[in-house]
Amino acid sequence: MAKNPSSDFVLRPFEGLPGETDWVAMREIVPSATATARTTAEYGSRDVTVVTLLPGAWTALHRADGTILLAVQGILGSGDVSRDLAAALLEALELEPGTAVEPGELPGEGPRLQDVLDLSVPFEATVHETFDFWLDPSADVTPELKESLEDAADGAIPTVKVSSVESAYWCSMTREFLRWARPEPEDDLIDALSRLHAKRESGLAGGKFVGAFRASGLVVPVWELPKGTEAADLEGPATELGDKLTKALSIKEPLDANERRARAGIVSRQVTLR
């Protein structure tokens, strides 16, 4: 795979990785989650725990028990997040156990995650209520680390993964919402949502579709849910809505006037997370 200078902006940094939508969700919308990955034989066939966040803004950690943690929400500054994460991962592999990779200078040219990770290994996020995955089970928890764990958990938005569909996450803020990272090209997905919205079929579990945002090159539609809706209430409705979206995505005819008006409203409310 071609190497990318760190100065080049990559719109979809996780494209080509298994579970691209969960990579995006972990980076952009999920406060506490883990997933498993493995490096290729060239890089030692090492198991890696991909996490949302590490203490101290670390980008990676070679834990004292030998576990390698890679944080996708670390402070990364180049135009290619995949390149930045690969550099942090490779550095962590070489560190002594008990050592973290701290933010530093931008990496130069080098491999990306797509070059370093075994692409045959599935990637699926597991959401957590705490950040206990930071801990080496055999190590003592210092007062400072305990405080960091509590502070991180207190600041996290309650989030639950909806298991019946891929990469859809319920969250509770002032209201309950569903945020659903989608793999389709932006124009195709917005057209499909517009077709449903024009027919008043874009709602979910009695809630309403309120717009979408772009994150790491993908579109993440958002639904505001009736107050008190729990993640478990969305399993069936999310499947039904997914089926409607699939059907709408298969339509190739141009949008009609009503659908074009719906599309204009959706596009006007979009924002981009970089």
Side-chain angles (χ1 to χ4, degrees):
M1 185 174 293
K3 308 299 188 285
N4 288 274
S6 61
S7 59
D8 290 348
F9 176 68
V10 177
L11 178 63
R12 289 177 61 177
F14 304 114
E15 185 175 14
L17 291 173
E20 179 188 9
T21 50
D22 271 339
W23 280 96
V24 172
M26 286 181 65
R27 176 161 172 80
E28 308 286 6
I29 63 176
V30 180
S32 178
T34 59
T36 56
R38 185 179 304 125
T39 62
T40 64
E42 179 183 357
Y43 294 97
S45 297
R46 296 287 301 276
D47 288 333
V48 179
T49 301
V50 179
V51 305
T52 47
L53 191 68
L54 286 170
W58 297 337
T59 53
L61 171 65
H62 193 152
R63 217 164 57 183
D65 64 357
T67 303
I68 302 294
L69 305 180
L70 177 67
V72 296
Q73 293 181 19
I75 300 175
L76 307 165
S78 85
D80 185 358
V81 172
S82 178
R83 168 68 190 98
D84 296 340
L85 289 170
L89 172 57
L90 295 180
E91 184 176 349
L93 291 172
E94 297 299 323
L95 292 177
E96 291 294 323
T99 309
V101 178
E102 299 188 10
E105 296 182 2
L106 297 181
E109 293 188 26
R112 308 175 71 235
L113 288 176
Q114 289 83 345
D115 306 303
V116 172
L117 296 181
D118 183 343
L119 304 184
S120 70
V121 176
F123 185 92
E124 183 176 355
T126 299
V127 176
H128 303 278
E129 294 182 357
T130 70
F131 291 81
D132 289 350
F133 54 78
W134 291 352
L135 302 175
D136 177 347
S138 64
D140 293 332
V141 179
T142 64
E144 293 79 11
L145 182 53
K146 182 179 180 181
E147 183 177 359
S148 293
L149 286 166
E150 291 173 348
D151 288 346
D154 288 344
I157 295 171
T159 301
V160 178
K161 190 173 186 179
V162 177
S163 62
S164 61
V165 294
E166 292 186 6
S167 306
Y169 295 85
W170 169 96
C171 68
S172 178
M173 294 183 271
T174 54
R175 295 288 299 268
E176 289 76 31
F177 296 88
L178 182 81
R179 299 180 288 186
W180 193 347
R182 301 288 306 191
E184 296 86 6
E186 178 176 336
D187 285 344
D188 294 347
L189 179 60
I190 297 301
D191 280 355
L193 288 166
S194 301
R195 295 182 195 278
L196 296 182
H197 202 57
K199 295 190 296 182
R200 304 188 179 214
E201 294 183 1
S202 61
L204 174 67
K208 61 182 180 179
F209 170 65
V210 294
F213 60 89
R214 303 181 190 91
S216 298
L218 298 184
V219 175
V220 182
V222 180
W223 286 264
E224 183 178 339
L225 305 168
K227 191 168 182 62
T229 300
E230 299 292 339
D233 301 327
L234 302 178
E235 298 292 353
T239 299
E240 293 173 8
L241 180 58
D243 291 341
K244 289 180 182 179
L245 271 173
T246 298
K247 185 176 179 180
L249 283 160
S250 70
I251 300 172
K252 303 305 178 185
E253 289 82 3
L255 300 179
D256 63 25
N258 195 28
E259 292 165 345
R260 290 197 299 273
R261 284 192 293 271
R263 192 184 203 283
I266 293 171
V267 171
S268 70
R269 298 193 299 270
Q270 273 186 287
V271 296
T272 301
L273 303 182
R274 285 282 298 273

